Amino acid sequence: MSELALVTGATSGIGRAFAERLAADGHDLLIVGRRKERLEEFAETHPDVDVRVVHADLSTPAGIDAVAGICATESLTMLVNNAGVAHYMPLAELPADKAAELVNVKILAPTLLTRAVVAGMQERGEGTIVNVAGMIAFSGPAPHSQMPRRAVYGGSLAYLVAMSQTLAAELEGTGVAVQVVCPGVVATEFHERQGLDMSEVPRMTVEDVVTASLRGLELGETVCAPGVENAALLDAVFQADLAAFAGQSPHLATRYRDTNALPGD
């Protein structure tokens, strides 16, 4: 049986690069996106593999349900949750419809598509789930002077990191691998569609992001950071997370009990 991968956001950027690489490796594909003409163009130019076009908008319940139905019924060997929108702006300035779109595309859709696919993968004893996030997931503690505020966007990527790590632990020993890939700034149309000029900013290629992801899967990485040379930095973050988690107690911390204590005491 041929390998079958479903890639969301496959019309451009990282999603298109994933589809290109997987097709070159002989995977049959289900490619999902909002721009039908680009999906059809991809299918026409890749006659050596079976490419099925899925025209769906993952910012809508109907779009999510349609793709989740495919995930639940097709024998997928790989799911790449790549679809994304940016909407970079402070929360108070973020229109409600754009906030909902962002949450649907980067949180709800990956969650429900993964939920739909994972049972079949477990039953077959194999499969791979890749969630595309970004290094902004780790930027929450940054001061305002260091980078623009983008609370919902950053929060959605942080969700993908935490969800992927927790799911990877849930699926340990099942034959199903889970990865979240966290690139930095990448050369795609993503920022241009937000009206941002990134032409002077050094950017990674989409091909390098996909190379890192696939090699990271071979290395057994749950969190793949293509531009982080020193992987010990990531390990330090995760160990600090676990140390804080382990440091909890049923007793109220002293700093909240002692009203005379000053910050830093």
Side-chain angles (χ1 to χ4, degrees):
M1 185 176 67
S2 298
E3 301 283 297
L4 178 62
L6 186 147
V7 182
T8 71
T11 56
S12 64
I14 295 172
R16 171 91 182 205
F18 260 110
E20 293 278 5
R21 184 71 61 85
L22 294 172
D25 290 344
H27 286 69
D28 291 333
L29 294 170
L30 287 152
I31 52 173
V32 181
R34 291 191 274 197
R35 289 174 285 183
K36 187 177 181 181
E37 69 284 353
R38 288 199 179 187
L39 299 175
E40 292 175 341
E41 180 270 330
F42 183 96
E44 291 170 3
T45 55
H46 293 79
D48 295 334
V49 293
D50 180 25
V51 181
R52 284 178 277 169
V53 166
V54 182
H55 181 225
D57 183 350
L58 293 177
S59 72
T60 67
I64 293 173
D65 287 347
V67 181
I70 295 170
C71 289
T73 55
E74 295 282 350
S75 297
L76 297 179
T77 53
M78 178 178 279
L79 168 64
V80 180
N81 285 310
N82 165 76
V85 291
H87 302 328
Y88 291 167
M89 60 188 73
L91 181 58
E93 300 173 16
L94 182 64
D97 60 338
K98 290 189 174 183
E101 181 182 19
L102 180 49
V103 170
N104 283 347
V105 172
K106 291 309 292 182
I107 295 180
L108 189 60
T111 300
L112 295 184
L113 269 55
T114 298
R115 175 190 174 278
V117 81
V118 74
M121 287 183 172
Q122 284 183 277
E123 190 174 303
R124 294 186 293 273
E126 64 175 356
T128 301
I129 298 163
V130 176
N131 295 312
V132 178
M135 289 304 294
I136 287 175
F138 301 97
S139 70
H144 184 276
S145 59
Q146 186 169 328
M147 69 184 308
R149 295 295 87 192
R150 50 192 73 168
V152 179
Y153 183 74
S156 70
L157 300 191
Y159 168 81
L160 285 174
V161 173
M163 191 266 279
S164 299
Q165 289 176 304
T166 307
L167 182 60
E170 284 184 15
L171 296 174
E172 186 174 347
T174 67
V176 182
V178 181
Q179 180 195 77
V180 58
V181 58
C182 298
V185 183
V186 183
T188 70
E189 300 172 4
F190 187 72
H191 297 95
E192 295 167 13
R193 292 201 299 271
Q194 306 301 316
L196 301 174
D197 182 6
M198 305 294 286
S199 58
E200 300 300 319
V201 178
R203 294 177 289 172
M204 181 173 284
T205 68
V206 291
E207 291 79 14
D208 279 351
V209 174
V210 174
T211 294
S213 174
L214 298 179
R215 176 57 178 151
L217 288 167
E218 293 176 354
L219 295 172
E221 292 182 349
T222 299
V223 180
C224 167
V228 176
E229 182 64 33
N230 184 1
L233 293 172
L234 295 172
D235 292 336
V237 171
F238 305 145
Q239 290 304 314
D241 286 344
L242 291 175
F245 181 71
Q248 62 185 313
S249 162
H251 305 294
L252 186 64
T254 302
R255 66 184 177 280
Y256 302 126
R257 287 186 276 118
D258 185 355
T259 57
N260 295 317
L262 297 174
D265 285 356

